[in-house]
Amino acid sequence: MKFEELGLSKAILQSIAAHGYVEATPIQEKTIPLTLAGKDVIGQAQTGTGKTAAFGLPILEHIDLDNPNIQAVIISPTRELAIQTAEELKKLGSDKHVNVQVVFGGSDIRRQIQGLKSHPQILVGTPGRLLDHINRKTAKLGHVQTLVLDEADEMLNMGFLDDIEAIIAQVPKERQTLLFSATMPDSIRRIGEKFMTNPVMVKIEAKQLTTDLVEQYFIRCRNEEKFDALTRTIDIQEPYLGIVFGRTKRRVEELARGLEARGYRAAGLHGDLTQQMRSRVLDQFKSHEINLLVATDVAARGLDVKDVSHVYNFDIPQDPESYVHRIGRTGRAGATGTSVTLVAPNEMDYLRAIEELTKKRMTPMQPATLQEARLGRIDASLDEAAVLMSKTNPGEMQAQVSALLSQFTPEQLAAGLLASVAGLEKQNAPVTLSRERPLPRRKGGKGGSRGGYRGGNRRGNGGGYRGRRDGDRRGNGGGYRGRRDGERRGNGAYKGNNHSSERRGSGQGRKRDFTVREKG
Ligand code: ADP
Ligand code: MG
């Protein structure tokens, strides 16, 4: 449905168009008319379906520019989400000239107080910092007309219920309350009953929780093989932008450092970083200065970065719903994506629990060999070499160039360039990871094997390593000229999935040549 049919005014429609939105998403189509009509709404739809604009557009519509008070408050679980939401509202409200401010912890409170003095009509914030401003009387919520609990499931997971109650106590009883969430556990329904008035429930049934646009693979390997399996998979898949999920902050740190040691442009994102560092890492990722972001679930929750092509679950999530959130970082807005989950043999029950939730089988995949990965790296370096050449001025090194040309053939020189760009010497850099506490045995599991699982690769999709998106999407970013070399590596070696269930069953994997050790 077009936005024009939803009852929005001209200034808002203009910003929507400038923002590049054409059609409303299902959750927007269903909730915007209700919210515009003043109803309390509980909206459930999977991540990446546009819930921000679903509540944001009617709020912007209702804002009275002549009223100097805060008229809407949006509570967000994390700093990044709060910032992201505020940015989206600023853009969508730009033609109407709505003043949106955002507050969150770990950042200079005086600057935020300055912002609050500018009479915002909309305030977005994380629970703790919102309370802080309420207590300091730097944010007055006595005239709020609409209150939003965004990503409500995550706020509960993070233990914000008390803070939320305290904030709600400061907001007039006569108000509109909106609640948006990707999942709807009972605890959230109870919030709805407690803080909302006859809320209308809108649930957009996902055909599948994980989008069909994401090809989902898993690699079964021992813990001490995981890092090699990860880097070799990355070498083969050449992710345009990839997110690597680790279970703990320490894990994220170690993975980021290990990836750097092996020559990748990677950085870690987790809650122990200062706000400044987190912003820097995110900016680097969004500007493609790095192409691998390593993150904990919480740090990456709800992040909306365009063109994330790959999600790597270095550690399988304990909670199946976390998997859905992780995978939701790719395959957004109609783009395709690939996910690879590394799973230790004793974690197979967790894999099955995920598949039960998503109603979708993951395709088994074998890790690449050292040699295959090496070829992948060399292959990938072609693009970077081309970019490097375009930036290099031979004139300024004429003498040295002549010297080299008299010493080596052009073929040797080109090979040396590729080897250098590919960082071949770093491919096996030693990396040590601390041991993570193993997940508890999953209760109620129906045994460790995936009973009855046969022919997981019936789709016959040319092997799990591709996952390349078409060149034109990537065609403009530094170093990743669109390549269409699908055939080159499309040999039988990667299509070995057909037999892999048997292989896994009998415990006779192909020859392993892994290098990573676990410490501790
Ligand atoms: P959610 O909160 O449901 O996870 P977001 O609100 O973060 O989803 O939106 C996901 C992405 O989709 C964002 O990049 C957003 O700008 C984009 N988006 C939202 N609505 C539309 C629309 N109607 N058309 C195109 N893109 C949209
Ligand atoms: Mg959201």
Side-chain angles (χ1 to χ4, degrees), residues 1 3 16 19-28 45-55 57 81 84-85 88 91-92 150-151 180-182 301-306 325 328-329 332-333:
M1 190 186 270
F3 281 102
I16 291 173
H19 212 33
Y21 296 177
V22 182
E23 297 262 328
T25 66
I27 188 76
Q28 293 165 356
Q46 68 194 111
T47 43
T49 54
K51 294 193 287 295
T52 313
F55 62 75
L57 291 170
L81 277 175
Q84 206 167 279
T85 299
E88 174 120 349
K91 281 187 199 152
L92 292 171
D150 190 22
E151 311 280 353
F180 283 81
S181 186
R301 177 61 202 269
L303 280 190
D304 180 43
V305 177
K306 287 217 176 351
H325 290 305
R329 300 305 105 227
R332 288 171 91 77

Short mmCIF file of all heavy atoms in Angstrom, two decimals, residues 1 3 16 19-28 45-55 57 81 84-85 88 91-92 150-151 180-182 301-306 325 328-329 332-333, ligand 1:
data_model
loop_
_atom_site.label_atom_id
_atom_site.label_comp_id
_atom_site.label_asym_id
_atom_site.label_seq_id
_atom_site.Cartn_x
_atom_site.Cartn_y
_atom_site.Cartn_z
N MET A 1 0.85 -1.20 0.00
CA MET A 1 0.00 0.00 0.00
C MET A 1 0.88 1.25 0.00
O MET A 1 1.92 1.31 0.65
CB MET A 1 -0.89 -0.01 1.25
CG MET A 1 -1.95 1.05 1.22
SD MET A 1 -2.87 1.12 2.79
CE MET A 1 -4.18 -0.03 2.49
N PHE A 3 1.93 5.10 0.87
CA PHE A 3 1.80 5.90 2.09
C PHE A 3 0.67 6.93 1.96
O PHE A 3 0.05 7.31 2.93
CB PHE A 3 3.11 6.61 2.40
CG PHE A 3 4.12 5.70 3.05
CD1 PHE A 3 5.15 5.17 2.31
CD2 PHE A 3 4.01 5.37 4.38
CE1 PHE A 3 6.08 4.32 2.90
CE2 PHE A 3 4.93 4.53 4.98
CZ PHE A 3 5.97 3.99 4.24
N ILE A 16 8.85 11.26 3.60
CA ILE A 16 8.87 9.81 3.33
C ILE A 16 9.43 9.57 1.93
O ILE A 16 10.30 8.72 1.73
CB ILE A 16 7.44 9.22 3.43
CG1 ILE A 16 6.95 9.25 4.88
CG2 ILE A 16 7.41 7.79 2.89
CD1 ILE A 16 5.50 8.84 5.05
N HIS A 19 13.01 10.16 1.66
CA HIS A 19 13.69 9.08 2.38
C HIS A 19 13.80 7.85 1.50
O HIS A 19 14.51 6.90 1.82
CB HIS A 19 12.89 8.77 3.64
CG HIS A 19 13.70 8.31 4.79
ND1 HIS A 19 14.97 8.75 5.03
CD2 HIS A 19 13.42 7.44 5.79
CE1 HIS A 19 15.42 8.17 6.13
NE2 HIS A 19 14.51 7.36 6.60
N GLY A 20 13.06 7.83 0.41
CA GLY A 20 13.14 6.70 -0.51
C GLY A 20 12.13 5.59 -0.24
O GLY A 20 12.18 4.54 -0.86
N TYR A 21 11.21 5.83 0.67
CA TYR A 21 10.19 4.80 0.91
C TYR A 21 9.07 4.98 -0.10
O TYR A 21 8.58 6.08 -0.31
CB TYR A 21 9.56 4.94 2.30
CG TYR A 21 10.50 4.72 3.45
CD1 TYR A 21 10.04 4.88 4.75
CD2 TYR A 21 11.81 4.35 3.25
CE1 TYR A 21 10.88 4.69 5.83
CE2 TYR A 21 12.66 4.16 4.32
CZ TYR A 21 12.19 4.33 5.61
OH TYR A 21 13.01 4.15 6.69
N VAL A 22 8.66 3.89 -0.71
CA VAL A 22 7.57 3.95 -1.68
C VAL A 22 6.32 3.31 -1.11
O VAL A 22 5.27 3.95 -0.96
CB VAL A 22 7.99 3.28 -3.00
CG1 VAL A 22 6.88 3.39 -4.03
CG2 VAL A 22 9.29 3.90 -3.52
N GLU A 23 6.45 2.03 -0.77
CA GLU A 23 5.32 1.30 -0.21
C GLU A 23 5.47 1.18 1.30
O GLU A 23 6.58 1.00 1.81
CB GLU A 23 5.32 -0.12 -0.79
CG GLU A 23 5.14 -0.19 -2.29
CD GLU A 23 3.70 -0.48 -2.65
OE1 GLU A 23 3.03 -1.19 -1.87
OE2 GLU A 23 3.24 0.01 -3.69
N ALA A 24 4.34 1.22 2.00
CA ALA A 24 4.38 0.95 3.44
C ALA A 24 4.59 -0.54 3.66
O ALA A 24 4.11 -1.36 2.89
CB ALA A 24 3.08 1.39 4.09
N THR A 25 5.33 -0.88 4.71
CA THR A 25 5.49 -2.30 5.03
C THR A 25 4.20 -2.77 5.73
O THR A 25 3.40 -1.94 6.19
CB THR A 25 6.68 -2.52 5.97
OG1 THR A 25 6.40 -1.89 7.23
CG2 THR A 25 7.96 -1.93 5.38
N PRO A 26 3.98 -4.08 5.82
CA PRO A 26 2.72 -4.57 6.43
C PRO A 26 2.47 -4.02 7.83
O PRO A 26 1.33 -3.62 8.14
CB PRO A 26 2.92 -6.09 6.45
CG PRO A 26 3.83 -6.37 5.30
CD PRO A 26 4.76 -5.18 5.22
N ILE A 27 3.48 -3.96 8.67
CA ILE A 27 3.24 -3.48 10.04
C ILE A 27 2.87 -1.99 10.00
O ILE A 27 2.04 -1.51 10.77
CB ILE A 27 4.45 -3.74 10.97
CG1 ILE A 27 4.12 -3.42 12.43
CG2 ILE A 27 5.69 -2.97 10.56
CD1 ILE A 27 3.28 -4.44 13.13
N GLN A 28 3.45 -1.26 9.07
CA GLN A 28 3.12 0.16 8.93
C GLN A 28 1.68 0.33 8.42
O GLN A 28 0.91 1.13 8.95
CB GLN A 28 4.11 0.83 7.97
CG GLN A 28 5.53 0.88 8.52
CD GLN A 28 6.60 1.19 7.49
OE1 GLN A 28 6.31 1.29 6.29
NE2 GLN A 28 7.84 1.31 7.94
N ALA A 45 6.16 -7.59 14.80
CA ALA A 45 6.62 -7.96 13.46
C ALA A 45 8.11 -8.23 13.57
O ALA A 45 8.78 -7.62 14.41
CB ALA A 45 6.35 -6.85 12.45
N GLN A 46 8.59 -9.07 12.72
CA GLN A 46 9.99 -9.45 12.85
C GLN A 46 10.91 -8.26 12.62
O GLN A 46 10.48 -7.22 12.12
CB GLN A 46 10.32 -10.61 11.91
CG GLN A 46 10.28 -10.26 10.45
CD GLN A 46 10.27 -11.53 9.58
OE1 GLN A 46 9.29 -11.84 8.94
NE2 GLN A 46 11.39 -12.24 9.57
N THR A 47 12.15 -8.42 12.99
CA THR A 47 13.08 -7.30 12.87
C THR A 47 13.27 -6.93 11.40
O THR A 47 13.15 -7.76 10.52
CB THR A 47 14.47 -7.65 13.44
OG1 THR A 47 14.82 -8.95 13.01
CG2 THR A 47 14.49 -7.58 14.93
N GLY A 48 13.56 -5.68 11.19
CA GLY A 48 13.83 -5.21 9.84
C GLY A 48 12.58 -4.95 9.02
O GLY A 48 12.64 -4.82 7.80
N THR A 49 11.42 -4.86 9.66
CA THR A 49 10.18 -4.67 8.91
C THR A 49 9.64 -3.26 9.03
O THR A 49 8.51 -2.99 8.65
CB THR A 49 9.10 -5.68 9.36
OG1 THR A 49 8.94 -5.57 10.78
CG2 THR A 49 9.50 -7.10 9.02
N GLY A 50 10.43 -2.35 9.59
CA GLY A 50 10.02 -0.95 9.59
C GLY A 50 9.15 -0.53 10.76
O GLY A 50 8.29 0.34 10.62
N LYS A 51 9.40 -1.09 11.92
CA LYS A 51 8.57 -0.74 13.07
C LYS A 51 8.82 0.70 13.52
O LYS A 51 7.93 1.35 14.04
CB LYS A 51 8.82 -1.73 14.22
CG LYS A 51 8.34 -3.15 13.87
CD LYS A 51 8.28 -4.08 15.07
CE LYS A 51 9.66 -4.50 15.57
NZ LYS A 51 10.40 -5.33 14.57
N THR A 52 10.02 1.19 13.30
CA THR A 52 10.32 2.56 13.72
C THR A 52 9.38 3.56 13.04
O THR A 52 8.75 4.39 13.69
CB THR A 52 11.78 2.93 13.39
OG1 THR A 52 12.62 1.87 13.81
CG2 THR A 52 12.18 4.22 14.05
N ALA A 53 9.30 3.45 11.72
CA ALA A 53 8.42 4.37 11.01
C ALA A 53 6.96 4.08 11.33
O ALA A 53 6.11 4.98 11.28
CB ALA A 53 8.68 4.29 9.50
N ALA A 54 6.65 2.83 11.67
CA ALA A 54 5.26 2.47 11.99
C ALA A 54 4.75 3.33 13.15
O ALA A 54 3.65 3.86 13.11
CB ALA A 54 5.14 0.99 12.32
N PHE A 55 5.58 3.48 14.20
CA PHE A 55 5.10 4.36 15.28
C PHE A 55 5.54 5.80 15.05
O PHE A 55 4.89 6.74 15.48
CB PHE A 55 5.53 3.86 16.67
CG PHE A 55 7.03 3.79 16.91
CD1 PHE A 55 7.77 4.94 17.15
CD2 PHE A 55 7.69 2.58 16.93
CE1 PHE A 55 9.13 4.88 17.41
CE2 PHE A 55 9.06 2.50 17.19
CZ PHE A 55 9.79 3.67 17.41
N LEU A 57 5.80 7.70 12.24
CA LEU A 57 5.05 8.57 11.33
C LEU A 57 3.80 9.17 11.99
O LEU A 57 3.59 10.38 11.91
CB LEU A 57 4.71 7.81 10.05
CG LEU A 57 5.94 7.50 9.16
CD1 LEU A 57 5.59 6.54 8.03
CD2 LEU A 57 6.52 8.80 8.60
N LEU A 81 20.33 1.80 19.36
CA LEU A 81 18.95 1.83 18.85
C LEU A 81 18.32 3.19 19.08
O LEU A 81 17.58 3.69 18.23
CB LEU A 81 18.12 0.74 19.53
CG LEU A 81 18.28 -0.64 18.91
CD1 LEU A 81 17.51 -1.66 19.71
CD2 LEU A 81 17.78 -0.63 17.47
N GLN A 84 19.68 5.44 16.45
CA GLN A 84 19.13 5.06 15.14
C GLN A 84 17.68 5.53 15.00
O GLN A 84 17.29 6.07 13.96
CB GLN A 84 19.18 3.54 15.06
CG GLN A 84 19.24 2.97 13.68
CD GLN A 84 19.62 1.47 13.78
OE1 GLN A 84 20.79 1.12 13.92
NE2 GLN A 84 18.64 0.62 13.72
N THR A 85 16.91 5.34 16.06
CA THR A 85 15.51 5.74 16.02
C THR A 85 15.40 7.25 15.90
O THR A 85 14.61 7.77 15.11
CB THR A 85 14.79 5.24 17.29
OG1 THR A 85 14.87 3.82 17.32
CG2 THR A 85 13.34 5.67 17.32
N GLU A 88 16.14 8.33 12.39
CA GLU A 88 15.03 8.06 11.47
C GLU A 88 13.91 9.09 11.66
O GLU A 88 13.36 9.61 10.68
CB GLU A 88 14.52 6.63 11.69
CG GLU A 88 13.27 6.30 10.88
CD GLU A 88 13.45 5.13 9.93
OE1 GLU A 88 14.60 4.70 9.73
OE2 GLU A 88 12.45 4.68 9.37
N LYS A 91 14.83 12.47 10.19
CA LYS A 91 14.70 12.50 8.73
C LYS A 91 13.25 12.58 8.32
O LYS A 91 12.87 13.39 7.48
CB LYS A 91 15.34 11.24 8.12
CG LYS A 91 16.84 11.32 8.04
CD LYS A 91 17.39 10.12 7.29
CE LYS A 91 18.86 9.93 7.61
NZ LYS A 91 19.28 8.53 7.49
N LEU A 92 12.43 11.70 8.93
CA LEU A 92 11.03 11.67 8.53
C LEU A 92 10.30 12.94 8.96
O LEU A 92 9.28 13.30 8.39
CB LEU A 92 10.34 10.43 9.11
CG LEU A 92 10.82 9.09 8.52
CD1 LEU A 92 10.24 7.92 9.29
CD2 LEU A 92 10.45 8.98 7.04
N ASP A 150 9.76 0.67 22.63
CA ASP A 150 10.25 0.05 21.40
C ASP A 150 11.14 -1.14 21.74
O ASP A 150 11.82 -1.13 22.76
CB ASP A 150 11.03 1.08 20.57
CG ASP A 150 11.35 0.56 19.17
OD1 ASP A 150 10.65 -0.37 18.71
OD2 ASP A 150 12.30 1.07 18.55
N GLU A 151 11.14 -2.13 20.87
CA GLU A 151 11.93 -3.36 21.11
C GLU A 151 11.65 -3.84 22.53
O GLU A 151 12.57 -4.10 23.32
CB GLU A 151 13.43 -3.10 20.90
CG GLU A 151 13.77 -2.39 19.60
CD GLU A 151 13.78 -3.32 18.39
OE1 GLU A 151 13.65 -4.55 18.57
OE2 GLU A 151 13.88 -2.82 17.26
N PHE A 180 6.08 -1.86 20.63
CA PHE A 180 6.53 -2.61 19.45
C PHE A 180 7.59 -3.61 19.85
O PHE A 180 8.44 -3.34 20.69
CB PHE A 180 7.03 -1.66 18.37
CG PHE A 180 5.90 -0.99 17.63
CD1 PHE A 180 5.26 0.11 18.17
CD2 PHE A 180 5.46 -1.51 16.42
CE1 PHE A 180 4.20 0.70 17.51
CE2 PHE A 180 4.39 -0.91 15.75
CZ PHE A 180 3.76 0.20 16.30
N SER A 181 7.51 -4.76 19.23
CA SER A 181 8.39 -5.85 19.64
C SER A 181 8.48 -6.86 18.50
O SER A 181 7.57 -6.99 17.70
CB SER A 181 7.81 -6.50 20.90
OG SER A 181 8.70 -7.45 21.41
N ALA A 182 9.61 -7.55 18.46
CA ALA A 182 9.76 -8.59 17.44
C ALA A 182 9.10 -9.89 17.90
O ALA A 182 8.60 -10.67 17.10
CB ALA A 182 11.24 -8.84 17.14
N ARG A 301 21.96 -5.74 18.67
CA ARG A 301 20.51 -5.85 18.64
C ARG A 301 19.88 -4.68 17.86
O ARG A 301 20.10 -3.53 18.17
CB ARG A 301 19.96 -5.87 20.07
CG ARG A 301 18.47 -5.91 20.16
CD ARG A 301 17.95 -7.18 19.48
NE ARG A 301 16.58 -7.04 19.09
CZ ARG A 301 15.55 -7.38 19.86
NH1 ARG A 301 15.76 -7.91 21.03
NH2 ARG A 301 14.33 -7.19 19.44
N GLY A 302 19.11 -5.03 16.87
CA GLY A 302 18.37 -4.00 16.16
C GLY A 302 19.19 -3.11 15.24
O GLY A 302 18.65 -2.24 14.58
N LEU A 303 20.48 -3.34 15.21
CA LEU A 303 21.31 -2.49 14.35
C LEU A 303 20.83 -2.58 12.92
O LEU A 303 20.57 -3.66 12.41
CB LEU A 303 22.76 -2.95 14.37
CG LEU A 303 23.60 -2.53 15.55
CD1 LEU A 303 25.05 -2.87 15.25
CD2 LEU A 303 23.43 -1.05 15.78
N ASP A 304 20.74 -1.46 12.30
CA ASP A 304 20.27 -1.46 10.93
C ASP A 304 21.37 -0.89 10.05
O ASP A 304 21.48 0.30 9.86
CB ASP A 304 18.99 -0.63 10.81
CG ASP A 304 18.48 -0.61 9.39
OD1 ASP A 304 18.49 -1.69 8.76
OD2 ASP A 304 18.10 0.46 8.91
N VAL A 305 22.20 -1.77 9.56
CA VAL A 305 23.25 -1.35 8.65
C VAL A 305 22.89 -1.90 7.28
O VAL A 305 22.54 -3.08 7.16
CB VAL A 305 24.63 -1.89 9.09
CG1 VAL A 305 25.71 -1.50 8.10
CG2 VAL A 305 24.97 -1.39 10.48
N LYS A 306 22.93 -1.05 6.31
CA LYS A 306 22.54 -1.49 4.98
C LYS A 306 23.57 -2.48 4.42
O LYS A 306 24.75 -2.38 4.69
CB LYS A 306 22.45 -0.28 4.05
CG LYS A 306 21.26 0.57 4.31
CD LYS A 306 20.69 1.13 3.02
CE LYS A 306 19.39 1.91 3.27
NZ LYS A 306 18.84 1.82 4.62
N HIS A 325 17.14 -12.82 15.76
CA HIS A 325 17.58 -11.43 15.74
C HIS A 325 18.91 -11.28 14.99
O HIS A 325 19.11 -10.35 14.24
CB HIS A 325 17.76 -10.90 17.16
CG HIS A 325 16.44 -10.72 17.86
ND1 HIS A 325 15.44 -9.96 17.32
CD2 HIS A 325 15.97 -11.20 19.02
CE1 HIS A 325 14.40 -9.98 18.13
NE2 HIS A 325 14.70 -10.73 19.17
N GLY A 328 18.47 -11.55 11.42
CA GLY A 328 17.74 -10.38 10.93
C GLY A 328 18.64 -9.22 10.57
O GLY A 328 18.19 -8.22 10.01
N ARG A 329 19.93 -9.32 10.88
CA ARG A 329 20.84 -8.24 10.48
C ARG A 329 21.13 -8.27 9.00
O ARG A 329 21.69 -7.33 8.44
CB ARG A 329 22.19 -8.33 11.22
CG ARG A 329 22.18 -8.25 12.72
CD ARG A 329 21.50 -7.02 13.24
NE ARG A 329 20.21 -7.39 13.76
CZ ARG A 329 19.10 -6.76 13.50
NH1 ARG A 329 19.11 -5.70 12.74
NH2 ARG A 329 17.97 -7.16 13.99
N ARG A 332 17.93 -7.78 4.73
CA ARG A 332 17.02 -6.69 5.03
C ARG A 332 16.53 -6.01 3.77
O ARG A 332 17.22 -5.98 2.77
CB ARG A 332 17.70 -5.67 5.94
CG ARG A 332 17.87 -6.19 7.34
CD ARG A 332 18.73 -5.26 8.14
NE ARG A 332 17.96 -4.23 8.86
CZ ARG A 332 17.30 -4.46 9.96
NH1 ARG A 332 17.22 -5.66 10.45
NH2 ARG A 332 16.67 -3.48 10.57
N ALA A 333 15.32 -5.47 3.89
CA ALA A 333 14.74 -4.67 2.82
C ALA A 333 14.92 -5.33 1.45
O ALA A 333 15.35 -4.70 0.49
CB ALA A 333 15.34 -3.25 2.83
P1 ADP B 1 12.49 -2.90 12.84
O1 ADP B 1 12.39 -1.91 13.96
O2 ADP B 1 11.19 -3.55 12.51
O3 ADP B 1 13.59 -3.91 13.07
P2 ADP B 1 13.44 -0.67 11.28
O4 ADP B 1 12.42 0.32 11.67
O5 ADP B 1 14.78 -0.55 11.90
O6 ADP B 1 12.89 -2.15 11.51
O7 ADP B 1 13.54 -0.66 9.68
C1 ADP B 1 14.40 -1.50 8.97
C2 ADP B 1 14.88 -0.83 7.71
O8 ADP B 1 13.82 -0.70 6.77
C3 ADP B 1 15.40 0.58 7.95
O9 ADP B 1 16.55 0.77 7.15
C4 ADP B 1 14.29 1.47 7.46
O10 ADP B 1 14.80 2.72 7.03
C5 ADP B 1 13.73 0.65 6.31
N1 ADP B 1 12.30 0.91 6.04
C6 ADP B 1 11.32 1.14 6.94
N2 ADP B 1 10.13 1.33 6.33
C7 ADP B 1 10.36 1.21 5.01
C8 ADP B 1 9.54 1.30 3.85
N3 ADP B 1 8.22 1.53 3.93
N4 ADP B 1 10.13 1.13 2.64
C9 ADP B 1 11.45 0.88 2.56
N5 ADP B 1 12.30 0.79 3.60
C10 ADP B 1 11.76 0.94 4.82
#
